[in-house]
Amino acid sequence: MAASEHIVGRGIGNKLILFSVILVAIMWMLPIAWTLLLSFKPNSELMISTASAFHPPYTIKNYTDIFQSSGVFRWLWNSAVVSIGVTVGILVLSSLAGYGFARAEFKGRDIIFVLVLLGLAVPEQAVIIARHQMFSDLKMHNTYPAIILPGLSSAFGVFLMTQYFKAIPKDIDEAAMLDNASRFKIFWKVLLPLTIPAQATLGIFSFLGAWNDYLWPLISATKPEMFTITVGMASTQTNFAQSEGLGFLMAQAIFAGLPVFIVYLFFQKYIVRAVAGAAIN
Amino acid sequence: ADKTEISVARFFGACEADYGTVTDVTKANGECGIITALINKFNAESTTTVVKPEIVEWPGYDQLTARIRSGEPPVISVMHEAVISDYSSRGLLEPLDEDFAKAGIDVNDMTDASRQGVTKDGKIYAMPFDTHTWLWHINMNLFKEAGLVDGAGKPILPKSTDELMQQAQQFKDKTGKPYFISTLANETAFYTRTFDTLLYQQNVDFFADPTKVNFSAPEAKNALQLLADIFSKDLTTKNQDYAASVSAFAAGEGGVFICGTWLIDTYDQESKKDGALANGYAVTAFPQLYAGSPRVWADGHSWVLLKQDLSDAQRASAVEFMKFLWDNNYEWARTGHLPVRKSIIESEQFKNLPHRGDIASLAVNGTALPSAVKRQFSIQEIEGEEVGSAMRGDKPVEQALTDAETRINELLANAK
Amino acid sequence: MQVSSIELDSVSKRFGSVEVISELSLTIHSGEFIAFLGPSGCGKSTLLRMIAGLESVDGGEIRIGGERVDRLPPGARGVAMVFQHYALYPHMTVFDNLAFGLRNIGTAEDEIARRIEEAARILEISHLLKRKPGQLSGGQRQRVAIGRALVKDPKAYLFDEPLSNLDAALRVRTRVELARLHQQTRATTIFVTHDQVEAMTLASRIVVMNARKVEQVGTPMEIYGRPATEFVARFVGSPAMNFLPVQVNDRGGLASAVLGDGSIIDTHVPVAALPGGDLRVGVRAEAIRVRPDGALPGKVEVVERLGDRTHLHIRLMDGSTLVAEDTGISQVQPGDAVRLAVEGATAHLFDAGGLAYHARQ
Amino acid sequence: MQVSSIELDSVSKRFGSVEVISELSLTIHSGEFIAFLGPSGCGKSTLLRMIAGLESVDGGEIRIGGERVDRLPPGARGVAMVFQHYALYPHMTVFDNLAFGLRNIGTAEDEIARRIEEAARILEISHLLKRKPGQLSGGQRQRVAIGRALVKDPKAYLFDEPLSNLDAALRVRTRVELARLHQQTRATTIFVTHDQVEAMTLASRIVVMNARKVEQVGTPMEIYGRPATEFVARFVGSPAMNFLPVQVNDRGGLASAVLGDGSIIDTHVPVAALPGGDLRVGVRAEAIRVRPDGALPGKVEVVERLGDRTHLHIRLMDGSTLVAEDTGISQVQPGDAVRLAVEGATAHLFDAGGLAYHARQ
Amino acid sequence: MTDATLSPGKAVAAVKRPTGASIGPRWSNALFVAPYMVFYVVLLVYPLFKGIWMSMLESDMFDDTSKFAGLANYYRLFNDKIFIGTVWNTVLFVLMTVPVFVAIGLLLALALNRSDRTSATLRAIFFGTSVLSVTIVTIIWKMMYMPGNGAIASLMRLLGLEPIAFITTASLALPAVAITTIWWIIGLPMMLFLAALQQIPGELYEAAALDNASRWRSFWSITLPSIRRTMLVVVIYEIVAQFQLFGQAQLLTQGGPNNASRPIVLFIYEQGFRSWNLGYAAAASEILFLIMAVAALAQFFASRKRVEE
Ligand SMILES: Nc1ncnc2c1ncn2[C@@H]1O[C@H](COP(=O)(O)OP(=O)(O)OP(=O)(O)O)[C@@H](O)[C@H]1O
Ligand SMILES: Nc1ncnc2c1ncn2[C@@H]1O[C@H](COP(=O)(O)OP(=O)(O)OP(=O)(O)O)[C@@H](O)[C@H]1O
Ligand SMILES: [Mg+2]
Ligand SMILES: [Mg+2]
């Protein structure tokens, strides 16, 4: 407990707790360590037994193979396009709508806002069949828009941004009104720059959500060249791959997990803040 | 000139890393290697067509469905013969009789099983690629240890269920290892295929009415009980998924691996190396345990042309590719699958492949469900689930059979 | 400079069913420094914001410089406002903060630069123009906020508790600066505060508000010296005025107040003006001194030493308490029995309704 | 009642590499009301929390009632603390808040009830015992927080700015109540504040802190009347003391200070004690009066009317400014030229290092 | 958008210079929410109603003729042992995971609610797995669970124990999916609890320390009551999230063995894309939606209660 850190007489207890958590954390990392270890083993050895993972020979062939062959690059690219598309889209729409719901009055606004909030209760799976039919009828599957657009209907971002805009002191808008700024100018020049922390939060959530989305891309992106990394990795997890190319599969998993993990390490501070912020709302 | 590009969806795994540039098919091994090399070869040789392979998850029908619905199916897809009718009956596949005639694919050269497999409502809807069946991979080194090898160096195999139990027990006593290695985990193929085989052997016609399954025969109970006994008496490895069982056999963890034709080549290669299978690999048709028939479960891979707005050039290219595969059917048979051309089965070249003599009978005895039965994949899935739960003792045998019946019949009742 | 008068003509405002301003009329002359003083929630900010156009007006009229403005958007009214929390644009530099409003009305950049330079010079923030608000101290932000108003050359300045965010020392300094600024510009200014010291020290006239209405409008000395009501008397001045119930006798036309214990305070309030009913005398602490010859006996309960003065909390014989003032070097201790002399000349009388009666001027 | 003395013996504290308390020694007598006074960040809270056991001590010793406590956990030290934000347990009723500490040491329930009843009576919160803190006003919470300390019958009370969260009026009232409470209980009390008025009015002795050290320890009148350093002189008293650079002449053993314009202030500071180098005279506003015969000419810039007094901000001939006091009914206007009389008896002299020199007592 | 389209310009005529925004409602303000509303209506509201309509049809994915069937699909669902099984599995899964998310999440948060570097690193470790996608997580855990060659099996053999066959034993498959899920996203509840803990004023703990409260007492009397609301949020959020179990089950166990780990969403997916029973799948979706809506409603009321408190 942060608060009791200084309190006299609590030191030893704190150390004990920390020590046990370190033990748990080591256990937590075991699966990844195991995967990493396997990824450096030749496939043929693993076909007989994974016990060989604990002794040489080790090889980086599994990784170099990725560069030669697999669709992983294309899938990573697709994931990047989709995730960025979703993120940008959500940021634009949610910022505009959040400002609207928080600050720009019009008749019926509050009712519409409640209706949007109800949308938070609709799980994607509940509309996935109908959505798939819609995009089929429009012949839009296997395109970036098809993978991106459904993500933009999420009410979460609007909710978050509305809360955030509401939390900005109203006197800033009022000062801008007295400064003769128009509605859009107040939004664009005065308030939007203040929401950058919220944009970061929402952006991170949206990006991770889109990057890791599975069900929708699974049924919408059915051409291998349109697979996202998530779907692509799923397509390689077959029995055949496990029996004959285990090391390669592990290398692919590590490799595919790397970009977003690096993003995570880079933005960790913001991500943590984002989650914490979400908790308080 | 520009070549016409056609997309070909297939499973069999990805192995561009090893075979990405191999065009000499004879240098390739295994399903993945051979199909990859075949396509490379085609692309290298064809002057008019480029095949763009699209590797999908096995069996990939969920995504194929979604893809057809999205209006952008691949031009050609690999498809199990068991599921062709589901697609053909909805007009999702192109009939190919005329194309084959034009291209010079002689349908009369097709084996009976494969020809039946791709013919629905009197039309041919696919180019058959192989027949694969259920058989026994045998670790001769362990068999020897268990005293189950005869003077001719052939494995001693059971001829009845009693013999089976007895020999399996003997094996276990002698080697300390289970007789069977089976894929009991994570997929249902083992259960369905083995159970079907045992029913065929007893001449049970459980799909007399293609809209209703019937497992009420006592023979069905016998067969299922046999599986349950094998399990409960620890005569098989347990809890292994496909990958685990494949490697378990290679590592010599049991005597018999009940699996498919496609592993023959893989294990044959293995037997040439040091290890548990060194000089000790044999393969045999599923031994006849009942006094009925030697029939055995079978299915086949085939290539279908999906209905869509195809240009003439594309269609021609598609047929050109199919013809190429037809011509190279022997190469595919090297995986262990049975060829679909009589001429190849009879050829010396094929017969000279390792172990092929031992399994030649399968080309005749391989049996599929009647093609009028819809939703065969789903049926097999349900059947496997129920058989599996009975075999593992999660459910009483009779309960499992009635459950399977109701579930399958309910499925068929709602299937269009 | 374009200074204007501001007239409120029976202005009303309700939030939902609650009326917060009711038929309020007030005229603010051109160049005046007016303070709205009152307790929290009495409607000061609301009234100010109505003038600025940040709240709609439910009834009545507002005129600035004679022009009716209550239907105009805030930007069109030509007033500038300084907010309690400054409301600086946090992501803009100080220069851009000052320039924003001018740019919005299309002022030429060189004119903007000129005006900002001038304002920055007056407010001594020239060296801060490149910083962002986050890099400024509270007092500096305060000045920037004022600067933002200054550059617009508005018809009137509106301040909503601009000092309440500053620490005590800075508040005092800024108060002095504001006074100086107003002396220089002579701009019409409305200043909202609930701190009577601020109102007293800054305003030329104070509007004391309570609940939905105006209690008194007057100069600081009128408010302090001749509070119109008990509310004003209690609200203005620290410590608060002492109130004691009294009987009144006529002593040569002036009221002589008799306390509960019989001691007498000779006020200068004309007896003729007084109504019947209960009356209380109101006396400020500085008019009550400890004297050996004082008429009023009491017991010291608490001694508050402020350095230059000492406040004595004294319990009278009848149990009521009052606060008297003594010098900084007072020797009085808690528990001492003392006698108090009350200066009757500055005493006021209040009737049951809280209305005040003062000595003739 | 178990009141104890508190001794700090060259106590030190560092946060990381920053030393916030350095070798500080102090003795607080049993029953004293001590205020720690100083600007924000000077280490007042840290010192208080070290006494309470909420911060560890890096060096030195703390003794309460003679027993060394600096290794004991907070609960074992027998002190009670009232926090700035009250730190009431929000989900417990007032009763349970008061009972929590007693229950933790296994006090019998009837004894707990008795003590709480007693404390509630003293603090007039008997009717609130069933409420939760969220349902109380600021002042009521304040009293509950004090009650929580009271029921424990501690060896000493520690208050960390307990009034700073209250509004002005309530602050004044609570101040008086605290004083009354201490008069009743006579418990050893340490009171942290940065408000000099609070410190002056409440404490029997004040510890003025600055940076990591104690500037002066003394009674309020010593601190106000004889500040040990320039820091104390500036920090205590409002408006702040006026400082003017002077030359000093000897006038019968006492220092006669000559201002820049030649006018003279006759201080009572013995000249013998003074060091060489630059000196400044320090005079409080109330010692500077407007008089027609005053020696010091100046021009009034700002007039601040406080009702009972008026502060005049005056610019002297040499450009320096000072604040003088006038009566509440002062007629002085901004811009007036005035002459000021400085009362030399209460003037102090300060050397270049900020050390003060006072009149002989 | 230019300024002109959005500023009402009512009083422009009266004053020469352009004026800014005014207070009060304006139709033009609706332009801010319009873009989002288009997506919302087209991609969420419309499919929702279309789904409800589809659930009342008997329709096949590739059959253009679908006929109205009323509530037949629902009737069939309630008699479908597999579907009931999936509902039960999903509920079981929720029961297995949510308490663990709360308990472990809170424990970790309590232990790591400190400001030193070690704690920051540990927080990063526990949260780090959450950024991996479900496919990678399942690949990793398959390697843990693999009956013969998996890490757990190897480890148990090393300890001389008979390996537990997690994903292949009916009774253990769902727990295996649950363990994977917990490993994957324990970071989120941990972070939510951390945020809540940081909201608790440190003074409260200090007051308790002065009140002689033990660590344990402080936890029960201060920490727990103070994070009640977050606890509720976490519980409801996790219930909603875990009810939507799909990827882990599909990739790790394919719903098996013997349907023991088949969740509702997998059922929907398979009915739709394997069995082509669109109406039936849509009906199952609506049941899921109903369950979710109840949970969301609970959340709404829970958060409202807080406001009133
Ligand atoms: N937007 C609003 N909706 C409803 N009631 C409001 C609103 N704004 C203010 N009020 C109410 O109107 C009354 C007057 O508020 P106002 O802000 O004008 O008071 P104030 O005198 O400025 O107080 P303070 O000194 O606390 O700033 C208060 O009772 C307040 O609760
Ligand atoms: N936990 C801490 N870690 C690091 N520095 C701290 C910590 N607590 C206090 N400090 C620093 O120690 C110094 C003294 O802090 P302290 O809180 O004692 O000041 P204070 O006199 O009580 O001020 P205030 O009047 O603002 O409460 C400050 O500079 C502060 O920044
Ligand atoms: Mg206000
Ligand atoms: Mg402090």
Side-chain angles (χ1 to χ4, degrees), chain A residues 29-53:
Chain A
M29 290 190 296
L30 275 184
I32 291 181
W34 177 240
T35 310
L36 207 58
L37 204 58
L38 291 181
S39 74
F40 286 106
K41 289 299 292 180
N43 292 318
S44 53
E45 275 193 55
L46 293 179
M47 186 170 160
I48 307 298
S49 167
T50 50
S52 64

Side-chain angles (χ1 to χ4, degrees), chain A residues 6, chain D residues 13-16 18-21 37-49 55 84 160-161 192-194 209 211:
Chain A
H6 309 290
Chain D
K13 175 74 190 174
R14 37 176 66 252
F15 287 117
V18 188
E19 186 154 54
V20 284
I21 303 286
L37 175 65
S40 184
C42 71
K44 308 179 294 292
S45 297
T46 306
L47 193 57
L48 192 76
R49 291 161 53 79
E55 297 284 359
Q84 178 171 3
D160 194 354
E161 311 212 9
V192 165
T193 180
H194 59 246
M209 293 176 67

Side-chain angles (χ1 to χ4, degrees), chain B residues 106-150:
Chain B
D106 178 8
V107 295
N108 294 317
D109 192 28
M110 289 181 188
T111 59
D112 295 346
S114 61
R115 186 161 177 183
Q116 261 167 41
V118 297
T119 307
K120 308 289 160 185
D121 300 324
K123 289 194 194 124
I124 289 182
Y125 278 100
M127 211 288 294
F129 199 36
D130 62 46
T131 301
H132 48 264
T133 70
W134 219 217
L135 43 65
W136 287 24
H137 302 275
I138 292 172
N139 183 331
M140 290 301 288
N141 298 333
L142 287 176
F143 259 54
K144 253 178 234 152
E145 205 180 319
L148 289 174
V149 178
D150 65 14

Side-chain angles (χ1 to χ4, degrees), chain B residues 15-23 27-30 32-34 36-37 40:
Chain B
C15 47
E16 296 100 313
D18 294 326
Y19 292 104
T21 55
V22 175
T23 52
K27 295 240 167 67
N29 283 312
C32 186
I34 292 174
T36 305
N40 289 343

Side-chain angles (χ1 to χ4, degrees), chain B residues 27-91:
Chain B
K27 295 240 167 67
N29 283 312
E31 283 182 317
C32 186
I34 292 174
I35 188 67
T36 305
L38 276 173
I39 292 176
N40 289 343
K41 185 174 183 220
F42 175 81
N43 281 340
E45 289 172 358
S46 171
T47 54
T48 54
T49 304
V50 181
V51 159
K52 189 169 59 113
E54 293 180 342
I55 300 160
V56 303
E57 193 182 354
W58 184 91
Y61 295 116
D62 303 347
Q63 267 182 309
L64 182 67
T65 297
R67 204 169 157 185
I68 295 172
R69 182 65 187 91
S70 74
E72 272 193 294
V75 174
I76 289 177
S77 173
V78 68
M79 188 174 274
H80 289 95
E81 287 167 2
V83 300
I84 291 176
S85 64
D86 285 340
Y87 290 85
S88 65
S89 67
R90 283 172 176 74

Side-chain angles (χ1 to χ4, degrees), chain A residues 2-3 10 14 28 34 50 105-106 115 119 125 131 153 155 180-181 184 212 214 230 234 237 242 250 264 268, chain E residues 6 19-21 26 29 36 40 43 46-47 113 124 131 133 135 139 142-143 149 183 186 191 202 215 244 250:
Chain A
R10 292 260 165 114
N14 287 340
W28 222 252
W34 177 240
T50 50
E105 273 181 76
F106 56 89
L115 290 180
Q125 289 92 338
R131 237 186 224 168
S153 66
N180 270 301
F184 189 75
N212 290 334
Y214 179 50
T230 313
Q237 283 192 48
Q242 269 182 58
M250 296 299 107
Y264 165 64
Q268 195 195 331
Chain E
L6 280 170
T19 59
R26 303 278 130 143
N29 287 342
Y36 169 72
Y40 181 72
L43 288 168
Y46 172 72
N113 183 20
V131 305
S133 69
T135 27
I139 289 180
K142 263 190 195 165
M143 290 310 108
N149 283 330
W183 180 85
I186 187 69
M191 287 296 184
R215 207 183 256 277
Q244 307 183 31
Q250 195 225 13

Side-chain angles (χ1 to χ4, degrees), chain B residues 166-241:
Chain B
Q166 179 261 314
Q167 287 180 7
Q169 194 60 48
Q170 176 184 339
F171 183 93
K172 192 178 161 195
D173 295 343
K174 288 265 171 67
T175 62
K177 292 179 176 172
Y179 186 66
F180 286 118
I181 286 173
S182 357
T183 309
L184 302 188
N186 248 347
E187 57 171 58
T188 59
F190 169 86
Y191 302 109
T192 313
R193 293 167 183 183
T194 310
F195 185 63
D196 278 1
T197 302
L198 295 179
L199 293 186
Y200 290 143
Q201 290 192 351
Q202 299 178 76
N203 285 329
V204 179
D205 190 3
F206 52 96
F207 262 117
D209 174 355
T211 65
K212 266 206 178 86
V213 76
N214 182 349
F215 287 134
S216 61
E219 289 88 344
K221 207 181 137 193
N222 289 343
L224 192 46
Q225 192 59 53
L226 177 67
L227 293 178
D229 290 346
I230 290 172
F231 189 90
S232 66
K233 299 209 165 105
D234 292 333
L235 300 178
T236 175
T237 59
K238 297 171 179 179
N239 301 318
Q240 287 178 329
D241 62 6

